[in-house]
Amino acid sequence: MLLMFRKAVAAGGRTYQQCRLFSLSCSSRSDRKGLVLGVYDKEKDENSLKFTEAGEAFDRSVSGRLRELLTVSGPALTQGKSRVFHAVRQDFPSVAVVGLGKSSAAFCSQENWDSKKVNIRNAVSVGCRQLQDLEMPTIEVDPCGDAQSAAEGAILGLFEYDELKQRKKTVVAAQLHGSSNTESWQKGVLYAEGQNFARYLMESPANHMTPSCFANKIQQRLKSVPDKVEVHIRPKSWIEDQQMGSFLSVSKGSDEPPVFVEVHYKGATNTKAPPLVFVGKGITFDSGGISLKSSKNMDAMRADMGGAATVCSSIVTAASLKLPINIIGLAPLCENMPSGKANKPGDVVRAKNGKTIQVDDTDAEGRLILADALCYAHCFNPKAIVNVATLTGAMIAALGSAAAGVFSNSDWLWDHLREGNVVTGDRVWRMPLFEHYSRQMTESQLADLNNIGKDRGSGGACTAAAFLKEFVTVPHWAHVDIAGVMTNKDEVPYLRKGMTGRPTRTLVELAARLSSDFN
Ligand code: BES
Ligand code: ZN
Ligand code: ZN
């Protein structure tokens, strides 16, 4: 009996005949609309479930039908769980109710994030994906008390890289349900679209996303925000003129020419104010070079340009948000390949600042291209330099995919990053820059520096950071190692499996926070 009742409920509590009549009177297939509504955990002293404001209003409009359906259709919806009901109201043929967890959720010091925002992103993404599977072309989303987080959950959750597949997911237009909070919603859309652009660049196969293609994509994308933005695509001859011998030594092993992308965004009232300079590692494929990687999972090394992707995407986003700050983005782009022209272990190369480097492992190539880009970053009288790189496997061992590691010589810069990551939920965690690690990089037999630590097996993320520090003289610098957060299996529920585009939103948030210091 109960089973029969549940079956009827799943169809909206109507008989088959009623459902048919209902669906016949519904709008045509192309303008079918889905709706995502939130519900909180029941508190101990409450005996009825608690909808969000929008959920409550919807339930009232159907005379308490939704509450009734939710109660009889199964167990209470816990955080991140979702259930879809059909034919409850004519204008929304399918409604996904999603569990938001405790209504009291807020900043959690142990997790170092705002749990309310995280819960909203998780829940909304699940609901949106369920409705996408039902091929809904439009989905309206409950702001759940934080429209920005709801927009991020929707836009990030719906993204899938299927450009090269014949069968594609339904393209969904996610819209805010109700008319208030539009500004906050729109901000969330821009943040999430920024991260999705980085995901797109990272996920693209290396034979498509070559250095030149990457540069063109950035140029094209910046056409949508032409105001106050300049892009320079520097060819190999320019890189040679700059005496970037370390970068060139990596690129010469490949048939693809290197490119150096330079993006300028002048958002501050004083266009001459010292900029925030972002530098991103842009290895479009890392085979390891002569120190060849094993072939297992080598395909993931198409995303070894994640640093370049996230810094360029964050500048696109900062420009769309019209942040009042000057930002320069620098991305050395090339492949790391083995060939007759490639670097050999023991080779010595000379960086732009004159320092010589013994290349004992050609797979430690990220630091070689960043060394020259960091030297160049100093030409712009920067207020701060932040470099982002999928730099070391050791970073994956240290923090896994929970947070990116930040190595910084500046408490001021670190504080801004830390504040930013609490809001975005895309976490960063501070790591050490001890002299201890520097000593391991500066004792080279043939040159000023070695590109791998003396104590090979240990502290690899820290010795890599210590190497980069040798190319920094400004007081505010941070190196963000994003190797651990490059991919997602299922750890971050609002991102599908694949390349993550992390931590684009945290970089945007950093720029937003620094804006006030720039004018
Ligand atoms: N791109 C890799 C680091 C990496 C590994 C990023 C896995 C994302 C996932 C980097 O160029 C590299 O190969 N680093 C070496 C350095 C070592 C030879 C000192 C590493 O970490 O093994
Ligand atoms: Zn490598
Ligand atoms: Zn690499």
Side-chain angles (χ1 to χ4, degrees), residues 122-138:
N122 290 346
V124 166
S125 70
V126 171
C128 284
R129 282 204 287 259
Q130 274 200 298
L131 295 175
Q132 185 182 39
D133 289 344
L134 297 173
E135 301 184 359
M136 293 280 154
T138 308

Side-chain angles (χ1 to χ4, degrees), residues 281 286 293 301 304 361 363 365 390-393 396 452 483:
K281 170 176 171 182
D286 181 9
K293 286 181 180 297
M301 285 299 108
D304 207 22
D361 194 319
D363 196 11
E365 84 299 339
T390 48
L391 205 63
T392 64
I396 311 175
I452 51 167

Side-chain angles (χ1 to χ4, degrees), residues 281 283 286-288 291 293 297 300-301 303-305 336 360-367 389-396 441 451-453 456 460-461 463-464 481-487:
K281 170 176 171 182
I283 295 291
D286 181 9
S287 69
S291 314
K293 286 181 180 297
N297 297 332
M301 285 299 108
D304 207 22
M305 29 55 85
N336 184 25
D360 273 351
D361 194 319
T362 65
D363 196 11
E365 84 299 339
R367 61 198 79 182
T390 48
L391 205 63
T392 64
M395 197 64 238
I396 311 175
M441 304 307 285
N451 82 328
I452 51 167
R456 259 202 93 124
T463 48
D481 192 335
I482 59 167
V485 301
M486 180 180 86
T487 56

Side-chain angles (χ1 to χ4, degrees), residues 217-226 229 231 263 315-316 319:
K217 291 277 177 204
I218 300 301
Q219 194 167 38
Q220 249 174 35
R221 181 70 177 222
L222 281 165
K223 284 191 181 137
S224 65
V225 279
V229 175
V231 193
V263 179
I315 298 176
V316 173

